[in-house]
Amino acid sequence: MECPSLAAQLGEGTGPRNGVAHPAMPILFVVGELDSTVYALRISREGRLDPFQVVSCLPDNFIGFSRASAVVLSPDGARLHVSNRGHDSICTFDVVDRGRLASPRWSGSDGRTPRFACYNPEGTGLLITNEESDTIVSIPSGGSGPAVLVARTASPTCIAFRHAPRESSRSPLG
């Protein structure tokens, strides 16, 4: 049986790296590592991915080598963050008008090669791993403001949180 492709057609040289689904809209945001772009794609009822917007993660006046890496959506779906390795920044977009990305702004990562980013468990700040600076920093959830050092560690490339078990889930037998 022939099945139509559900894959999205992205621009040549995009190098799709990571994607994140919106929590309330049928939209997938995909970051292009090689060309430092973000694609916004609508997810049809049939599962097709239809691109409807492509935006750069770098300022118009940036000249140099940079690669996009992490893509993170705020817990409420109002902001999208992308890390730029080379520009050494976090680009933050507002998610508006049925999933369109608007108002890009950049915060320094306060280090080299921001590879990974995620929200802290409380959802109040964005944590960023600076792989070549051996640091983890935090910036405010709005995407602007100074970076604050959280930890120093060798070549951080990921952050994982361990959650304590709930009291109600423990067995009475220990």
Side-chain angles (χ1 to χ4, degrees), residues 3-78:
C3 181
S5 172
L6 301 180
Q9 295 297 312
L10 306 182
E12 186 175 334
T14 296
R17 181 178 175 95
N18 290 311
V20 63
H22 194 277
M25 293 184 274
I27 295 175
L28 178 68
F29 298 104
V30 175
V31 67
E33 177 179 19
L34 303 180
D35 64 359
S36 297
T37 59
V38 175
Y39 277 78
L41 304 106
R42 289 201 200 294
I43 305 169
S44 74
R45 291 184 191 270
E46 298 79 29
R48 274 191 328 273
L49 298 174
D50 300 312
F52 65 92
Q53 185 184 24
V54 182
V55 294
S56 177
C57 305
L58 296 169
D60 291 340
N61 63 354
F62 176 73
I63 298 172
F65 179 81
S66 192
R67 296 285 194 232
S69 187
V71 60
V72 180
L73 197 58
S74 63
D76 63 2

XYZ file of all heavy atoms in Angstrom, residues 3-78:
555
model
N 1.866 4.940 0.848
C 1.570 5.860 1.949
C 2.245 7.192 1.649
O 3.454 7.226 1.402
C 2.092 5.288 3.261
S 1.742 6.329 4.679
N 1.490 8.286 1.646
C 2.121 9.578 1.384
C 3.124 9.921 2.483
O 2.938 9.557 3.644
C 0.952 10.560 1.373
C -0.126 9.890 2.143
C 0.078 8.411 1.957
N 4.155 10.627 2.092
C 5.179 11.012 3.061
C 4.620 12.038 4.042
O 3.916 12.961 3.664
C 6.379 11.612 2.331
O 7.284 12.139 3.269
N 4.932 11.851 5.294
C 4.528 12.797 6.319
C 5.699 13.698 6.711
O 5.588 14.513 7.599
C 3.996 12.056 7.546
C 2.802 11.137 7.290
C 2.370 10.458 8.579
C 1.651 11.888 6.670
N 6.814 13.544 6.029
C 7.996 14.342 6.335
C 7.846 15.753 5.794
O 7.218 15.976 4.761
C 9.238 13.688 5.730
N 8.419 16.703 6.502
C 8.390 18.093 6.052
C 9.547 18.343 5.096
O 10.612 17.748 5.232
C 8.505 19.025 7.250
N 9.322 19.218 4.159
C 10.379 19.640 3.244
C 10.992 20.923 3.799
O 10.352 21.971 3.786
C 9.805 19.875 1.840
C 9.271 18.619 1.184
C 10.380 17.597 0.951
O 11.439 17.913 0.435
N 10.125 16.358 1.342
N 12.213 20.815 4.294
C 12.927 21.976 4.816
C 13.962 22.399 3.789
O 14.304 21.642 2.885
C 13.606 21.643 6.145
C 12.696 21.058 7.239
C 13.489 20.827 8.511
C 11.513 21.959 7.505
N 14.475 23.610 3.937
C 15.442 24.128 2.985
C 16.722 23.313 2.951
O 17.154 22.759 3.967
N 17.336 23.255 1.767
C 18.614 22.561 1.623
C 19.650 23.235 2.518
O 19.733 24.458 2.583
C 19.069 22.627 0.165
C 20.313 21.800 -0.090
C 20.675 21.771 -1.570
O 19.785 21.932 -2.415
O 21.861 21.583 -1.850
N 20.423 22.432 3.230
C 21.449 22.965 4.126
C 20.940 23.368 5.493
O 21.656 23.981 6.270
N 19.692 22.998 5.812
C 19.120 23.338 7.122
C 19.787 22.540 8.236
O 20.151 23.083 9.254
C 17.594 23.081 7.133
O 16.989 23.955 6.201
C 17.002 23.309 8.510
N 19.916 21.247 8.039
C 20.484 20.389 9.083
C 19.599 20.328 10.309
O 20.005 20.755 11.385
N 18.369 19.794 10.195
C 17.483 19.733 11.362
C 18.159 19.013 12.523
O 18.735 17.948 12.342
C 16.265 18.971 10.869
C 16.544 18.549 9.481
C 17.832 19.115 9.037
N 18.126 19.636 13.691
C 18.818 19.091 14.853
C 17.859 18.645 15.944
O 17.933 17.526 16.435
C 19.797 20.114 15.418
C 20.560 19.596 16.622
C 21.565 20.604 17.133
N 22.196 20.137 18.350
C 23.340 19.494 18.401
N 23.989 19.213 17.282
N 23.852 19.120 19.549
N 16.994 19.540 16.382
C 16.072 19.248 17.473
C 14.708 19.854 17.162
O 14.613 20.820 16.412
C 16.568 19.851 18.799
C 17.789 19.157 19.343
O 17.815 17.933 19.421
N 18.801 19.912 19.706
N 13.681 19.301 17.781
C 12.340 19.837 17.624
C 11.597 19.809 18.940
O 11.936 19.043 19.847
N 10.587 20.664 19.036
C 9.754 20.704 20.231
C 8.320 21.020 19.805
O 8.091 21.866 18.943
C 10.288 21.728 21.262
C 10.263 23.143 20.721
C 9.531 21.653 22.578
N 7.360 20.290 20.379
C 5.948 20.481 20.066
C 5.333 21.489 21.021
O 5.659 21.514 22.219
C 5.207 19.154 20.165
N 4.443 22.316 20.489
C 3.736 23.286 21.316
C 2.741 22.544 22.209
O 2.103 21.579 21.762
C 3.010 24.310 20.430
C 2.561 25.503 21.190
N 1.391 25.513 21.913
C 3.143 26.717 21.357
C 1.262 26.696 22.496
N 2.315 27.443 22.166
N 2.583 22.986 23.464
C 1.697 22.254 24.382
C 0.202 22.413 24.095
O -0.591 21.588 24.532
C 2.044 22.834 25.757
C 2.566 24.197 25.474
C 3.274 24.091 24.146
N -0.194 23.459 23.350
C -1.623 23.694 23.150
C -2.038 23.798 21.691
O -3.236 23.779 21.398
C -2.037 24.979 23.877
N -1.088 23.928 20.781
C -1.407 24.066 19.355
C -0.729 22.949 18.575
O 0.326 22.475 18.987
C -0.895 25.410 18.825
C -1.610 26.615 19.392
S -1.037 28.159 18.622
C 0.389 28.537 19.649
N -1.297 22.543 17.448
C -0.663 21.489 16.641
C 0.499 22.051 15.816
O 0.450 22.150 14.595
C -1.815 20.994 15.757
C -2.688 22.197 15.589
C -2.586 22.956 16.899
N 1.556 22.434 16.532
C 2.712 23.073 15.903
C 3.984 22.422 16.429
O 4.099 22.127 17.621
C 2.727 24.584 16.177
C 1.517 25.212 15.497
C 4.013 25.227 15.700
C 1.338 26.659 15.779
N 4.918 22.212 15.513
C 6.237 21.696 15.849
C 7.259 22.749 15.431
O 7.190 23.278 14.324
C 6.508 20.388 15.097
C 7.866 19.739 15.293
C 8.002 19.207 16.719
C 8.059 18.608 14.289
N 8.189 23.068 16.330
C 9.283 23.980 16.019
C 10.544 23.144 15.860
O 10.884 22.354 16.744
C 9.479 25.011 17.135
C 8.287 25.899 17.347
C 7.441 25.702 18.414
C 8.013 26.932 16.459
C 6.342 26.517 18.621
C 6.915 27.753 16.649
C 6.070 27.548 17.731
N 11.234 23.304 14.731
C 12.445 22.539 14.438
C 13.587 23.521 14.222
O 13.456 24.475 13.447
C 12.267 21.660 13.180
C 13.570 20.968 12.808
C 11.162 20.640 13.414
N 14.712 23.270 14.906
C 15.879 24.142 14.744
C 16.809 23.545 13.695
O 17.052 22.342 13.677
C 16.614 24.363 16.087
C 17.265 23.102 16.609
C 17.646 25.461 15.963
N 17.261 24.408 12.789
C 18.232 24.020 11.773
C 19.626 24.341 12.268
O 19.992 25.509 12.405
N 20.392 23.307 12.544
C 21.738 23.492 13.091
C 22.655 24.217 12.110
O 23.384 25.131 12.492
C 22.347 22.135 13.445
C 23.775 22.220 13.944
C 24.349 20.861 14.307
O 23.816 19.821 13.864
O 25.342 20.847 15.043
N 22.637 23.813 10.856
C 23.617 24.308 9.895
C 23.365 25.738 9.441
O 24.305 26.478 9.165
C 23.681 23.377 8.683
C 24.020 21.921 9.007
C 24.044 21.100 7.721
C 25.334 21.815 9.751
N 22.093 26.134 9.335
C 21.804 27.497 8.865
C 21.232 28.401 9.953
O 20.795 29.510 9.684
C 20.881 27.471 7.646
C 19.503 26.905 7.932
O 19.236 26.497 9.080
O 18.679 26.867 7.000
N 21.218 27.936 11.198
C 20.752 28.732 12.352
C 19.371 29.327 12.114
O 19.152 30.529 12.253
C 21.769 29.824 12.699
O 22.987 29.250 13.097
N 18.425 28.456 11.776
C 17.040 28.873 11.566
C 16.113 28.056 12.455
O 16.500 27.023 13.003
C 16.592 28.645 10.110
O 16.733 27.262 9.792
C 17.381 29.508 9.135
N 14.881 28.562 12.578
C 13.809 27.804 13.214
C 12.666 27.714 12.211
O 12.263 28.729 11.637
C 13.293 28.465 14.506
C 12.103 27.694 15.065
C 14.370 28.550 15.557
N 12.180 26.503 12.010
C 11.005 26.272 11.184
C 9.812 26.074 12.110
O 9.883 25.305 13.075
C 11.160 25.001 10.346
C 11.918 25.181 9.073
C 13.299 25.264 9.071
C 11.238 25.271 7.851
C 14.004 25.428 7.888
C 11.934 25.436 6.669
C 13.312 25.520 6.695
O 14.002 25.694 5.523
N 8.717 26.746 11.805
C 7.441 26.497 12.467
C 6.611 25.668 11.495
O 6.433 26.061 10.337
C 6.750 27.808 12.804
N 6.145 24.518 11.961
C 5.395 23.598 11.100
C 4.049 23.279 11.736
O 3.987 22.965 12.928
C 6.176 22.294 10.904
C 7.581 22.432 10.353
C 8.596 22.184 11.446
C 7.794 21.457 9.230
N 2.991 23.349 10.958
C 1.682 22.912 11.432
C 1.596 21.399 11.278
O 2.058 20.844 10.286
C 0.571 23.552 10.615
C 0.431 25.013 10.881
C -0.934 25.544 10.503
N -0.887 26.980 10.331
C -0.659 27.862 11.296
N -0.472 27.439 12.512
N -0.606 29.155 11.048
N 0.990 20.766 12.262
C 0.775 19.325 12.223
C -0.689 19.106 11.835
O -1.595 19.480 12.583
C 1.073 18.674 13.587
C 2.485 19.027 14.055
C 0.864 17.166 13.509
C 2.768 18.659 15.509
N -0.917 18.529 10.654
C -2.293 18.304 10.191
C -2.908 17.130 10.951
O -2.213 16.363 11.619
C -2.310 18.019 8.690
O -1.825 16.715 8.438
N -4.205 16.972 10.805
C -4.905 15.844 11.447
C -4.359 14.509 10.961
O -4.373 13.524 11.679
C -6.400 15.917 11.183
C -7.083 17.061 11.872
C -8.599 16.986 11.626
N -9.270 18.193 12.053
C -9.764 18.377 13.269
N -9.653 17.428 14.169
N -10.364 19.494 13.572
N -3.856 14.500 9.723
C -3.295 13.277 9.146
C -1.840 13.077 9.562
O -1.235 12.064 9.230
C -3.372 13.326 7.612
C -4.768 13.412 7.057
C -5.344 14.829 7.120
O -4.563 15.807 7.061
O -6.567 14.956 7.261
N -1.271 14.062 10.255
C 0.108 13.957 10.702
C 1.121 14.610 9.773
O 2.314 14.517 10.009
N 0.648 15.269 8.703
C 1.575 15.985 7.821
C 2.194 17.158 8.559
O 1.561 17.772 9.417
C 0.833 16.521 6.587
C 0.696 15.560 5.456
C 0.195 16.264 4.179
N -0.697 17.381 4.416
C -2.017 17.296 4.570
N -2.594 16.104 4.543
N -2.758 18.365 4.767
N 3.427 17.485 8.185
C 4.118 18.646 8.743
C 4.236 19.690 7.641
O 4.927 19.475 6.653
C 5.504 18.243 9.242
C 5.524 17.213 10.364
C 6.961 16.788 10.673
C 4.850 17.757 11.604
N 3.529 20.805 7.805
C 3.497 21.852 6.791
C 4.196 23.103 7.313
O 3.662 23.785 8.195
C 2.052 22.184 6.412
C 1.310 20.982 5.845
O 1.885 20.318 4.966
O 0.178 20.708 6.285
N 5.396 23.421 6.779
C 6.101 24.636 7.213
C 5.296 25.887 6.874
O 4.742 25.992 5.786
C 7.399 24.612 6.409
C 7.544 23.222 5.905
C 6.155 22.673 5.783
N 5.209 26.822 7.834
C 4.523 28.079 7.553
C 5.363 29.294 7.916
O 4.993 30.430 7.618
C 3.148 28.144 8.240
C 3.192 28.161 9.742
C 3.228 29.362 10.451
C 3.174 26.981 10.459
C 3.241 29.376 11.837
C 3.192 26.982 11.851
C 3.233 28.190 12.542
N 6.538 29.084 8.534
C 7.418 30.205 8.855
C 8.839 29.692 9.036
O 9.045 28.608 9.590
C 6.954 30.911 10.135
C 7.745 32.154 10.463
C 7.331 32.780 11.792
O 6.794 32.114 12.679
N 7.577 34.076 11.930
N 9.816 30.469 8.578
C 11.234 30.200 8.806
C 11.855 31.510 9.285
O 11.679 32.551 8.643
C 11.963 29.744 7.525
C 13.424 29.428 7.826
C 11.281 28.560 6.901
N 12.555 31.465 10.423
C 13.196 32.663 10.965
C 14.631 32.351 11.352
O 14.963 31.216 11.707
C 12.431 33.229 12.183
C 11.055 33.747 11.774
C 12.286 32.177 13.268
N 15.470 33.366 11.302
C 16.862 33.214 11.703
C 16.985 33.341 13.216
O 16.254 34.102 13.853
C 17.721 34.293 11.035
O 19.059 34.174 11.478
N 17.944 32.608 13.775
C 18.242 32.680 15.204
C 19.384 33.646 15.482
O 19.803 33.797 16.628
C 18.654 31.310 15.736
S 17.474 30.034 15.419
N 19.916 34.261 14.436
C 21.059 35.162 14.574
C 20.649 36.584 14.211
O 19.794 36.790 13.343
C 22.195 34.715 13.656
C 22.805 33.360 13.975
C 23.731 32.910 12.847
C 23.546 33.402 15.300
N 21.269 37.574 14.829
C 20.973 38.961 14.457
C 21.402 39.226 13.010
O 22.349 38.613 12.509
C 21.822 39.792 15.423
C 22.348 38.860 16.445
C 22.235 37.476 15.912
N 20.707 40.127 12.345
C 21.008 40.462 10.947
C 22.442 40.923 10.750
O 23.035 40.692 9.702
C 20.068 41.558 10.436
C 18.638 41.063 10.283
O 18.429 39.835 10.201
O 17.734 41.922 10.252
N 23.019 41.569 11.752
C 24.369 42.126 11.605
C 25.484 41.165 12.031
O 26.654 41.547 12.032
C 24.494 43.442 12.374
C 24.305 43.259 13.873
O 23.981 42.175 14.347
N 24.490 44.337 14.612
N 25.137 39.907 12.378
C 26.170 38.953 12.798
C 26.932 38.442 11.580
O 26.332 38.008 10.595
C 25.565 37.769 13.553
C 26.579 36.719 13.916
C 27.496 36.928 14.925
C 26.640 35.516 13.220
C 28.445 35.972 15.250
C 27.576 34.550 13.532
C 28.484 34.782 14.557
N 28.250 38.498 11.671
C 29.128 37.934 10.645
C 30.062 36.975 11.362
O 30.764 37.361 12.292
C 29.940 39.030 9.934
C 28.996 39.988 9.216
C 30.928 38.408 8.957
C 29.668 41.208 8.646
N 30.067 35.733 10.960
C 30.932 34.751 11.595
C 30.307 33.371 11.523
O 29.263 33.162 10.916
N 30.961 32.431 12.172
C 30.533 31.043 12.180
C 29.683 30.790 13.415
O 30.095 31.117 14.533
C 31.755 30.125 12.178
C 31.397 28.668 12.202
C 31.038 28.008 11.035
C 31.422 27.958 13.386
C 30.703 26.667 11.051
C 31.099 26.608 13.411
C 30.736 25.968 12.235
N 28.520 30.222 13.233
C 27.659 29.868 14.355
C 26.775 28.698 13.944
O 26.426 28.560 12.767
C 26.794 31.058 14.777
O 26.172 30.801 16.021
N 26.428 27.872 14.902
C 25.532 26.739 14.696
C 24.472 26.750 15.789
O 24.792 26.892 16.966
C 26.282 25.406 14.764
C 27.308 25.199 13.676
C 26.613 24.877 12.375
N 27.552 24.367 11.397
C 27.666 24.855 10.177
N 26.936 25.877 9.802
N 28.514 24.320 9.328
N 23.216 26.592 15.394
C 22.139 26.493 16.378
C 22.179 25.105 17.019
O 22.667 24.153 16.421
C 20.795 26.747 15.711
N 21.656 25.007 18.227
C 21.715 23.727 18.912
C 20.395 23.390 19.606
O 19.572 22.694 19.063
C 22.874 23.723 19.911
O 23.051 22.453 20.478
N 20.209 23.911 20.799
C 19.025 23.562 21.592
C 17.822 24.384 21.151
O 17.957 25.525 20.723
C 19.295 23.814 23.068
N 16.643 23.803 21.277
C 15.392 24.533 21.086
C 14.495 24.166 22.263
O 14.297 22.984 22.564
C 14.728 24.227 19.718
C 14.405 22.766 19.549
C 13.500 25.091 19.509
N 14.014 25.195 22.971
C 13.257 24.992 24.206
C 12.022 25.877 24.178
O 12.119 27.072 23.874
C 14.109 25.371 25.443
C 13.337 25.166 26.729
C 15.405 24.596 25.466
N 10.891 25.323 24.521
C 9.650 26.069 24.610
C 9.317 26.293 26.077
O 9.464 25.371 26.896
C 8.540 25.273 23.918
C 7.273 25.972 23.523
C 7.541 27.145 22.579
C 6.325 25.000 22.847
N 8.892 27.501 26.423
C 8.508 27.764 27.811
C 7.326 26.876 28.181
O 6.556 26.454 27.307
C 8.156 29.242 27.999
O 7.039 29.593 27.210
N 7.173 26.561 29.473
C 6.092 25.666 29.882
C 4.704 26.130 29.427
O 3.848 25.302 29.128
C 6.199 25.657 31.407
C 7.645 25.949 31.678
C 8.050 26.917 30.596
N 4.484 27.439 29.337
C 3.179 27.942 28.900
C 3.078 28.110 27.385
O 2.047 28.512 26.862
C 2.853 29.263 29.592
C 3.829 30.382 29.260
O 4.773 30.167 28.450
O 3.670 31.481 29.822
N 4.162 27.814 26.658
C 4.156 27.904 25.204
C 4.259 29.320 24.664
O 4.094 29.538 23.465
N 4.565 30.289 25.506
C 4.595 31.693 25.087
C 5.928 32.142 24.506
O 5.993 33.160 23.820
C 4.222 32.596 26.264
